[in-house]
Amino acid sequence: MKYINLILLIFFISLFSSSAIKGQLRPERQWPGFRGYMASGILDNANLPESFDLKEMVNIKWKTEIPGLGLSSPVIWDNKLFITTAISQADRDGFRPGIYGDITPVKDSSVHEWKVYCYDKNTGKIIWDRTSYKGIPKMKRHPKSTHANTSVATDGKYVVAFFGSEGLFCYDMNGNLLWQKSFGLLKSVFFMVKTAEWEFASSPIIYNGVLIIQCDVLENSFVAAYDVRTGKELWKTQRDEYPGWCTPNIYTNSGKTYVALNGYKHRGGYDFETGKEVWRMSGGGDIQIPTPIVGNDMIYFNSAHGRSSPIIAVRTDAAGDISLKENETANQFVKWSVLRGGSYMHTLLLYRNHLYNVNWNGSVYCLDPHTGKEIYNAKLGKTKSFIASPVAADGKIYIIDEEGTLYILQDGDTFKLLAEIPLNDICLTAPAITDGMLIFRTQKYLIAAGKN
């Protein structure tokens, strides 16, 4: 009997351990940073509901009010969900949705608390919260911005929040502060009007134990790598770039790993181990925001502002200066480009051999990712405005307008709108996808939609 009990004990310990290891070794099933795994915006086999209703609470798992203001998207690892926010008793006007060109920052000099929240993904209850910094913001914010724009990054061991001029903070999964760094004043402004302060918005990423941050600001722009465990600087490379709000990404070629950065004067690739520039190019929208995405041995870039609005597909073996000449759409390392049609705000979605791009006015462009040829274009939301980047699961594309209407499209060669669902609150952030749930961060709430 003792022998049988010992065998059973060993079996259950092995089962538990293998499950835990499996969870740790499958980051592609997590949502570890902005737009999920490798910023792809995709989680298939997610078993999401066909529809849901917030008014009747049909297929709604939970709804939790969030204090303060933030534009960080939900980040998920196993059963823990993370967001950031900045809380002030004075700065409570919220966002101003719509399509407008007002560049004047919000006037506010009140004391804020920059916080990281950890929630139970299954219940919406707070597990822990930490105040990273308290004080008067060093930069002002745009009417569509907040003082907590960046999504955290996690690898299941560490949680990193980057609050721009207020600092970089690394916690363990239980909320213990492990290390922090200050980079001084990071001037996230419109380069043509330096009084147009819009706040920092480049999210950190973690890859193989290394933390990468992109700081394209008015003075002394750089990209840097740190040991996420200790905060030790591994390398730091200066960049000649206008202020931007892009999040970096990772790509590989011939067994080596590289960092891809979007930009205007200095779009490029960097050696992951040394920070040495591998390739560079200029051109595109001069207020760079979208994150590069990777697939088909290419890196896809999106941008739009000023004279130009290209979508560019760069080969992962790119080297040297690969800038396109005037009216040129391809060269040795640029496989294709669309000179007009890029998006100012949105990160592209590469899904099942379709490349989706959403524009501020709700236009949806579906392109062939191998050639850039247009498959279709359609319009959502009549006169509504869109900022949140699209995501996808199980053959469906999820797009949200600023007023909080979710549009569900069928992936395919023709435009097919499956549903329009109101979230009943302003929404400027991309949702997160986890097994069985679609999680939204609106202006006031976290909402988990899942089958009842």
Side-chain angles (χ1 to χ4, degrees), residues 212 223 225 235 237 250-251 256-260 268-279:
I212 304 290
V223 55
W235 52 260
T237 303
I250 299 294
Y251 71 97
K256 287 202 66 175
T257 303
Y258 302 91
V259 180
Y270 297 80
D271 188 296
F272 177 75
E273 294 183 356
T274 66
K276 182 180 178 180
E277 180 185 276
V278 177
W279 65 267

Side-chain angles (χ1 to χ4, degrees), residues 56-119:
E56 301 296 329
M57 293 301 285
V58 175
N59 286 335
I60 299 296
K61 293 287 189 181
W62 49 262
K63 178 180 177 183
T64 299
E65 189 169 359
I66 309 170
L69 291 174
L71 285 180
S72 58
S73 296
V75 167
I76 301 167
W77 194 279
D78 290 341
N79 293 321
K80 291 182 175 179
L81 182 155
F82 305 92
I83 62 163
T84 63
T85 188
I87 301 172
S88 167
Q89 294 304 310
D91 188 6
R92 303 173 67 179
D93 292 339
F95 316 128
R96 176 150 57 94
I99 298 176
Y100 55 85
D102 186 0
I103 64 173
T104 306
V106 174
K107 294 180 180 179
D108 175 68
S109 298
S110 63
V111 172
H112 287 61
E113 287 186 75
W114 283 260
K115 296 183 75 73
V116 180
Y117 279 87
C118 175
Y119 294 85

